[in-house]
Amino acid sequence: MNFEDWTVDLKSLTATHSCGFRIEIEGNPKDPSAVHPGKFPQGLTSIEQVRLVRTGVEAIVAEAKKGRTAKPVVKKPAYVSPANKPKRATLSLNRKSSTETS
């Protein structure tokens, strides 16, 4: 099996191997924050599976470093700054000292 035979799509942040195995990444393609492997082909040893994931991620990173980068999809929370974050009550598990209770 040729572990270097990858087709990379930076717009969807995926890479597909010639055997049909597919991985998807999250975050920056040059430095992925998460990798989601697909279903492995039958008959691969665990070492070959790991090698397939590693070479797939390396293929995505190499393609991104060539300058054909896509902007990573970043989901922003509903609030943008701490000023817009709702106030919440806090719970303390520390016991009050005798001077604080009076």
Side-chain angles (χ1 to χ4, degrees):
M1 173 183 291
N2 180 5
F3 288 96
E4 305 300 321
D5 191 14
W6 289 93
T7 304
V8 177
D9 182 9
L10 289 177
K11 287 187 179 189
S12 64
L13 300 176
T14 61
T16 307
H17 190 261
S18 60
C19 69
F21 176 71
R22 183 175 181 218
I23 61 171
E24 184 176 331
I25 64 164
E26 290 180 14
N28 184 349
K30 293 180 184 176
D31 185 24
S33 59
V35 178
H36 303 285
K39 185 175 170 119
F40 289 100
Q42 294 291 328
L44 288 180
T45 66
S46 57
I47 298 295
E48 290 171 328
Q49 291 175 0
V50 170
R51 185 174 177 193
L52 200 58
V53 171
R54 181 179 51 84
T55 56
V57 172
E58 288 172 352
I60 293 173
V61 170
E63 191 71 21
K65 287 185 177 179
K66 288 181 182 178
R68 295 180 244 162
T69 60
K71 290 185 178 182
V73 177
V74 178
K75 295 180 182 176
K76 292 185 179 180
Y79 59 89
V80 177
S81 67
N84 295 336
K85 191 174 180 180
K87 303 269 184 193
R88 295 185 181 168
T90 57
L91 174 66
S92 175
L93 299 177
N94 297 331
R95 294 183 180 171
K96 291 184 179 182
S97 63
S98 60
T99 57
E100 291 179 9
T101 57
S102 41

